[in-house]
Amino acid sequence: MKIYNVVRKNNYYDSVTLMLISKQLKQVEGLDDVSVMMGTPANRVILQEANLLGSDGEDAGPNDLILAFRAPEDIDVQWVIGKIDEQMGKKVAGGKNADEIIIRSAVKAYQDDPEINLAFISVPGEYAAIEAERALKYGKNVFLFSDNVSIEEEAQLKAQAVQKGLLVMGPDCGTAIIGGIGIGFANKVKSGNVGLISASGTGLQEVICLLDAMEVGISQAIGTGGRDLKEAIGATTMLQALNMLIQDNHTQTIVLISKPPAKSVVDKIISKLSETSKKVVLCFLGAAIDHAPANVTAVATLEEAALKTADLSGRKPALLATETKITDWARAAREKLATGQKYVRALYAGGTLCYETMLVLGETLGPIYSNIPLRKELLTMDVLVAGQHTAIDLGDDHFTMGKPHPMIDGSLRDEHILKVAGDPQTAVLLLDVVIGYGAADDPVGELVPVLEEAKKAAAAHGNTLAIVAYVCGTNQDEQNKAAQIAKLQQAGVVVTTTNAQAARLARMIVAGRNS
Amino acid sequence: MSNNLLNQKLNVVNVGLELFSKTLIKQAVPTTHVSWRPPAGGNKEVARLLDKYEERINAANEKVIQIYNDAQPVLMGVKPAHTVLKGLTRETILHAGPPIEWEAMCGPMQGAILGAIRFEGLAENDEKAIQLIKSGAIKLSPNHHHGSVGPMTGMITYHMPVFEVKNEAFGNTAYCSINEGLGKVMRFGANDPEVLERLFWFRDSLGPAIHDAVQLCGGINLKVIMAQALAMGDEMHQRNTAASSLFARKICPLIAKLPMDHEAKAKVIKFICDNDQFFLNLAMAAAKSTTDPAKGVKDSSIVTVMCRNGTDFGVKVAATGEKWFTAPANLPEGLYFPGFGPQDANRDMGDSAILEVIGLGGVAMAASPAVVRFVGAGSQDDAVRYTKEMGVISTGKSTQFLLATMNFEGSPLGIDIRKVIENDIVPVINTGMAHRLPGIGQIGAGVVKAPYVCFEKALSAFAKTLTD
């Protein structure tokens, strides 16, 4: 190794620049060590101690630049100097954008921008109440997507919200459309004068999508969270939202959607509805309402809710034109079934769609086993119950623990489809596909190969699987409903116009087979 | 109360899954995505307490900001340490950072302590000095326990001269050693005769000369110098060139008046004028005198002390008074002098992080384009970014330390431990790098991050002080 010093007289650089350059030069190949420094006495001592000071460098003065390096005898000195000059001439690499600070605190965001009017919270359940409380404290409405919030916390949050004139949509709220903006899992629908309030995300999506298909637009769609109509909460959010819709000039017809609430809660809502002359469609899934005021029409399914609302909006819908074909479809499917194929196995991404399906199936098929059963004794966490019909909500906590929701990623459902198809007793595989904001980019595209495998699994037993599906969404959605349906049909899947219709078809296919 | 949400244009904060930000942005909704992490480092109980008492904490913090902004640090003179520091016996060696045992000390700290023992004439060589330490005859104590601060190893002993700075707004005083300049110095652990000679001269000539000069003017307001120097490109930790020059302009004419031998006078003046970092120690004493009145302010979550001993980093918070919260100090990142690299660097060291506590140093990086490049391939944009980031974890702004490069915004002031944890941003500190072996000295300069764990511990303890 040899020490090389090149001195450039009166060539001043500040020390930081030189240190930066020296750092870069460490990467130059073939050099044992390298440094560029001004020739001050102190620096010459430093170079000396680093064994980098040659005789030329020793004579350098404070305004002279020393290029010092230690390298093998045969190194190309000019090449090294070229490398050094390259570094000297380089501009400082452009810094990161000065504004690019990652925001980690919601409170900071609230403080920085007073215009914020909604906090969308999807943090793990145990922290959700803390975050929601913060949002309320800073005067923000809350869309609380998180689940696993205790009912006590929910009651507390909603009481605070009422006090401040704010709205808490949730917890476990999936969908809302405010001022035409889809929030969470939502669909692109036409604007109009139907305002909806729903305790159910996919229930809401189903109704607005069916309305959209019937050219009926919506003004607002407000989510309340699944437990809002429980006695402990007392429909706090629904009642607030009702006030808002009653006062909203753009809303002429109001639709309320929920699973059957407690009697006391029904009474509260009915009493509130008597305050308005706006027309109201009340969809408490499967529950009969007997004392509704004149402006209120009670319906039992999401499908009925959509049809009734369209009717009230003066539309005579052709929505169920396909209904007459159901019998043909059912017959065709039945002809292919082997004798052992007896049961409907429904695998759902949408919880309320699953619930509606159970209502429809249950009308004639009897008990439907489910993880969200109509009656407690029908509870199962297994997607297959031997000798029984099953309808499973795969979006339920039990299945999504640590996994993405089947609306976001289909892989969770894929494995269950194969399991169901492999059971020789399965006659009908019933599926929903939910598209729109938040949903997978091409859910059917992911689903079709799995369905092909499922058919093979059934064929292994000499069976032919009847596959019935429903696509919840609109043609304005990015995934495009028509395109998704076409792909399903190409794969031999029967696709219906409403979810309830899919359930009716499934029901018809297996009718009388298990007796 | 009626809710007007349906008639408003949505403006959303998305807390959690980024997927939902994307769907809102697709619909052209103004959306702020929060890259969320569990509040209070995941401690729900602490998070709830902090939320419950938020208003009270905020009010207390405003009070501390006022204390910091009101401070008027004035240099009153230079005095032998033993005449002003409480509990300083001849056998006591004051060091930087939180408390630490001899065995746990890093090389430079040990080297400096051996030198300091010899400086006091307690032992004639290192071997005997070590014997004294091991016998328990030497008391090792943090500067912060005695109202003082010192850079790097931070040595202060019985006979050493210290700057006396009085905070005239509150009447309290703070002390710091005199800066030794570059090269082989005790603050980097060097302890050879040359080092001790310089310290003897400090004791016998430099200290008394500065003291006498200051007496001629009745005191020098340091805050005024600091504010001016910030506008001249200092950030007061890594770079003190402007402040040192401004101080020299004040002190040299006064020294000229002293009845001293010309040569002795010239030596004093030359020493002050040759050292770009001369003002560092004055700034440190000023900072210490600024933050001390905030100690014990109930309910305040603002940091009053940050310091390091080369092994551990220590933090104190207003509401928890004298309690230390410590964690292993980090290694600085930056640029090395030739012949040195990361393998040679000692962990972060010195009381000088008191400057960041009052909104200088790393916090005021935007003030000093020359310094930001120590960060690595930094640019002025990076400097502004550092300062803005420090703004995220700070409570208020300095009314006097203004940042020309940020349209004369005040430098971020008052690090709030709640915000440190909530935003996952730790204070950045501009620092010199010491070799990990004693006596070699400075091997570079750069920035270092305060360890997150200190603030986590502090936050838990702070939450416990919150009661109805």
Side-chain angles (χ1 to χ4, degrees):
Chain A
M1 291 290 162
K2 188 180 157 191
I3 296 166
Y4 298 85
N5 278 185
V6 177
V7 176
R8 290 182 177 156
K9 288 270 172 204
N10 293 318
N11 202 336
Y12 179 80
Y13 288 87
D14 74 83
S15 61
V16 179
T17 299
L18 293 177
M19 287 166 83
L20 277 166
I21 292 166
S22 298
K23 187 179 179 179
Q24 293 303 320
L25 288 172
K26 304 272 184 214
Q27 289 152 23
V28 175
E29 267 174 66
L31 301 183
D32 194 37
D33 199 3
V34 57
S35 184
V36 286
M37 288 191 117
M38 298 308 298
T40 62
N43 284 348
R44 279 187 273 121
V45 171
I46 289 171
L47 286 174
Q48 174 82 59
E49 287 178 358
N51 195 23
L52 275 170
L53 190 68
S55 52
D56 289 348
E58 274 171 29
D59 299 329
N63 291 325
D64 305 336
L65 178 70
I66 308 175
L67 316 179
F69 50 96
R70 198 166 58 239
E73 299 268 356
D74 56 354
I75 198 153
D76 181 345
V77 175
Q78 284 315 311
W79 177 82
V80 175
I81 291 173
K83 283 280 168 196
I84 294 174
D85 281 337
E86 223 172 83
Q87 285 300 331
M88 306 277 293
K90 253 190 206 166
K91 271 197 179 157
V92 179
K96 292 173 207 147
N97 187 326
D99 293 325
E100 239 178 62
I101 294 173
I102 298 169
I103 300 172
R104 293 201 184 274
S105 156
V107 169
K108 164 104 176 89
Y110 304 145
Q111 287 168 340
D112 286 356
D113 186 357
E115 300 287 304
I116 285 162
N117 49 17
L118 182 70
F120 188 115
I121 297 170
S122 57
V123 303
E126 54 177 322
Y127 301 107
I130 293 176
E131 289 296 343
E133 206 168 315
R134 289 176 172 184
L136 292 173
K137 196 170 185 175
Y138 283 90
K140 313 302 178 193
N141 295 290
V142 174
F143 183 101
L144 191 49
F145 182 84
S146 313
D147 50 14
N148 288 319
V149 175
S150 77
I151 196 141
E152 293 78 19
E153 286 174 321
E154 178 173 351
Q156 220 171 356
L157 286 172
K158 289 189 169 176
Q160 282 174 25
V162 168
Q163 219 172 21
K164 297 193 146 203
L166 297 168
L167 202 58
V168 173
M169 295 178 262
D172 202 10
C173 185
T175 305
I177 298 178
I178 306 288
I181 302 295
I183 301 168
F185 295 116
N187 302 87
K188 230 184 230 181
V189 293
K190 299 173 184 80
S191 77
N193 54 31
V194 176
L196 303 95
I197 308 168
S198 175
S200 144
T202 46
L204 182 56
Q205 282 183 281
E206 171 71 347
V207 176
I208 60 173
C209 291
L210 293 182
L211 287 175
D212 186 78
M214 296 185 283
E215 303 289 322
V216 178
I218 70 152
S219 54
Q220 309 284 352
I222 300 169
T224 66
R227 289 185 312 214
D228 189 61
L229 277 70
K230 294 224 186 248
E231 204 140 26
I233 309 296
T236 307
T237 302
M238 186 171 274
L239 292 169
Q240 279 180 293
L242 255 176
N243 262 333
M244 292 161 76
L245 288 188
I246 288 170
Q247 284 161 24
D248 179 32
N249 293 332
H250 303 291
T251 301
Q252 282 168 19
T253 306
I254 297 172
V255 181
L256 304 185
I257 303 163
S258 169
K259 285 182 188 171
K263 166 107 183 38
S264 67
V265 177
V266 174
D267 291 345
K268 268 197 209 177
I269 291 167
I270 293 289
S271 126
K272 183 81 206 168
L273 291 178
S274 63
E275 291 174 17
T276 179
S277 56
K278 289 185 181 180
K279 285 171 276 184
V280 179
V281 173
L282 196 56
C283 177
F284 291 152
L285 290 157
I289 303 295
D290 46 17
H291 53 298
N295 60 326
V296 178
T297 311
V299 296
T301 63
L302 302 168
E303 181 188 67
E304 278 180 69
L307 290 171
K308 185 68 203 172
T309 307
D311 189 31
L312 290 172
S313 308
R315 296 272 167 191
K316 289 296 168 208
L319 178 66
L320 296 180
T322 53
E323 196 73 14
T324 52
K325 295 185 195 162
I326 286 191
T327 334
D328 297 340
W329 288 340
R331 189 184 310 121
R334 285 172 75 98
E335 279 168 9
K336 291 180 195 158
L337 292 181
T339 42
Q341 288 184 274
K342 293 177 177 176
Y343 302 105
V344 176
R345 265 69 194 256
L347 294 174
Y348 270 80
T352 304
L353 295 177
C354 185
Y355 195 85
E356 185 188 43
T357 289
M358 289 191 291
L359 288 174
V360 174
L361 292 178
E363 276 175 30
T364 60
L365 295 182
I368 313 294
Y369 280 78
S370 175
N371 58 331
I372 52 162
L374 297 177
R375 300 195 311 273
K376 270 181 195 154
E377 65 270 23
L378 300 177
L379 179 71
T380 178
M381 290 299 164
D382 203 333
V383 296
L384 269 181
V385 179
Q388 300 292 346
H389 304 288
T390 50
I392 302 296
D393 169 17
L394 290 168
D396 188 42
D397 295 354
H398 174 76
F399 293 99
T400 55
M401 212 76 98
K403 288 177 188 158
H405 193 282
M407 266 154 67
I408 302 173
D409 180 341
S411 49
L412 175 65
R413 182 158 65 177
D414 296 347
E415 45 183 289
H416 293 299
I417 287 175
L418 295 177
K419 195 171 170 191
V420 164
D423 176 23
Q425 291 193 318
T426 301
V428 182
L429 172 61
L430 180 54
L431 303 167
D432 67 341
V433 174
V434 184
I435 58 171
Y437 294 120
D441 291 339
D442 179 16
V444 171
E446 291 172 41
L447 185 59
V448 165
V450 182
L451 295 181
E452 295 302 337
E453 261 187 84
K455 284 185 206 167
K456 280 182 204 155
H461 301 288
N463 286 356
T464 304
L465 206 56
I467 308 178
V468 176
Y470 168 64
V471 177
C472 179
T474 70
N475 286 338
Q476 299 93 279
D477 284 329
E478 264 185 19
Q479 300 93 337
N480 191 293
K481 183 180 176 181
Q484 296 283 310
I485 289 176
K487 272 192 235 180
L488 280 169
Q489 286 171 335
Q490 241 167 13
V493 177
V494 179
V495 184
T496 59
T497 314
T498 73
N499 179 59
Q501 195 182 51
R504 279 197 297 279
L505 174 55
R507 189 174 80 184
M508 216 176 276
I509 293 171
V510 299
R513 294 188 70 84
N514 58 339
S515 54
Chain B
M1 252 189 278
S2 72
N3 188 311
N4 202 28
L5 180 66
L6 303 185
N7 302 317
Q8 294 170 355
K9 280 229 172 303
L10 281 186
N11 187 333
V12 183
V13 165
N14 183 56
V15 192
L17 302 174
E18 201 172 3
L19 164 77
F20 295 116
S21 276
K22 288 181 182 155
T23 69
L24 289 165
I25 290 164
K26 260 188 204 162
Q27 300 174 79
V29 178
T31 304
T32 309
H33 179 66
V34 174
S35 185
W36 181 86
R37 54 205 315 281
N43 188 331
K44 274 176 279 171
E45 280 324 297
V46 170
R48 285 194 187 284
L49 277 170
L50 295 179
D51 281 359
K52 182 178 173 192
Y53 294 104
E54 187 182 358
E55 279 75 27
R56 233 167 67 185
I57 300 167
N58 289 348
N61 286 352
E62 282 310 317
K63 206 158 109 187
V64 169
I65 291 300
Q66 184 85 38
I67 289 170
Y68 286 3
N69 268 327
D70 284 351
Q72 282 303 336
V74 176
L75 174 65
M76 304 307 289
V78 179
K79 293 177 176 167
H82 69 93
T83 64
V84 283
L85 299 189
K86 281 188 199 108
L88 186 67
T89 62
R90 210 176 148 196
E91 292 75 26
T92 306
I93 312 287
L94 303 188
H95 61 79
I100 183 171
E101 302 286 326
W102 167 258
E103 288 76 16
M105 284 178 174
C106 63
M109 185 65 92
Q110 290 187 337
I113 285 172
L114 297 179
I117 291 170
R118 279 170 26 229
F119 169 81
E120 286 298 337
L122 299 168
E124 63 265 32
N125 57 41
D126 286 353
E127 226 167 87
K128 290 203 170 137
I130 291 172
Q131 275 172 14
L132 276 181
I133 294 165
K134 297 211 161 151
S135 74
I138 298 292
K139 186 184 160 202
L140 303 173
S141 186
N143 272 313
H144 274 290
H145 291 186
H146 301 265
S148 57
V149 281
M152 299 310 286
T153 61
M155 291 298 108
I156 294 181
T157 61
Y158 196 83
H159 287 103
M160 283 190 194
V162 288
F163 290 122
E164 180 176 72
V165 172
K166 183 174 182 186
N167 180 349
E168 291 201 325
F170 297 89
N172 60 299
T173 47
Y175 301 88
C176 188
S177 53
I178 300 175
N179 194 283
E180 302 162 85
L182 289 172
K184 286 201 163 73
V185 288
M186 187 172 276
R187 73 173 186 284
F188 284 102
N191 63 15
D192 65 17
E194 180 194 331
V195 173
L196 299 193
E197 271 314 313
R198 189 187 301 115
L199 291 175
F200 291 135
W201 175 71
F202 276 21
R203 180 191 64 193
D204 301 331
S205 294
L206 180 67
I210 297 174
H211 179 80
D212 292 344
V214 171
Q215 302 322 301
L216 293 177
C217 70
I220 296 173
N221 188 313
L222 298 177
K223 201 164 195 177
V224 173
I225 293 179
M226 290 156 86
Q228 276 180 280
L230 218 62
M232 295 163 74
D234 283 355
E235 40 64 76
M236 217 67 59
H237 193 166
Q238 189 72 261
R239 183 184 142 106
N240 277 285
T241 312
S244 299
S245 306
L246 291 168
F247 180 75
R249 285 202 327 191
K250 288 259 183 218
I251 201 78
C252 291
L254 299 167
I255 291 171
K257 287 189 189 170
L258 298 178
M260 283 171 78
D261 166 70
H262 281 314
E263 279 309 313
K265 233 190 254 185
K267 190 178 172 191
V268 164
I269 288 172
K270 182 166 166 44
F271 184 83
I272 293 171
C273 293
D274 274 358
N275 182 359
D276 280 345
Q277 282 291 69
F278 189 83
F279 194 82
L280 172 69
N281 298 36
L282 285 160
M284 285 172 62
K288 170 83 175 151
S289 78
T290 297
T291 64
D292 273 348
K295 261 185 204 165
V297 170
K298 199 174 161 342
D299 299 332
S300 170
S301 56
I302 290 182
V303 171
T304 55
V305 170
M306 291 197 290
C307 61
R308 323 74 108 197
N309 57 31
T311 304
D312 293 324
F313 193 105
V315 167
K316 287 186 183 183
V317 175
T320 51
E322 297 295 352
K323 215 174 211 157
W324 285 106
F325 305 101
T326 63
N330 289 325
L331 280 164
E333 279 179 30
L335 298 174
Y336 291 89
F337 297 152
F340 299 106
Q343 70 281 359
D344 303 312
N346 197 74
R347 287 184 189 281
D348 189 22
M349 188 163 64
D351 289 326
S352 52
I354 193 75
L355 292 163
E356 276 75 6
V357 175
I358 63 159
L360 298 171
V363 176
M365 199 96 86
S368 188
V371 159
V372 70
R373 300 181 65 187
F374 274 110
V375 178
S379 65
Q380 181 58 20
D381 285 348
D382 277 333
V384 172
R385 190 167 176 276
Y386 268 106
T387 294
K388 282 193 173 170
E389 238 176 29
M390 293 302 101
V392 172
I393 58 170
S394 297
T395 307
K397 289 188 169 126
S398 171
T399 50
Q400 280 162 69
F401 301 146
L402 306 183
L403 304 167
T405 58
M406 288 175 67
N407 295 323
F408 300 97
E409 226 177 81
S411 192
L413 181 61
I415 296 161
D416 182 346
I417 55 171
R418 292 178 303 173
K419 295 183 175 180
V420 170
I421 300 300
E422 179 101 10
N423 294 286
D424 191 22
I425 297 174
V426 291
V428 289
I429 294 153
N430 289 349
T431 189
M433 285 192 262
H435 198 287
R436 59 190 174 79
L437 300 176
I440 296 177
Q442 187 170 4
I443 59 167
V447 293
V448 67
K449 288 186 167 179
Y452 180 83
V453 178
C454 290
F455 299 91
E456 209 171 31
K457 286 181 183 171
L459 196 64
S460 293
F462 169 72
K464 290 197 185 100
T465 69
L466 299 166
T467 47
D468 283 323

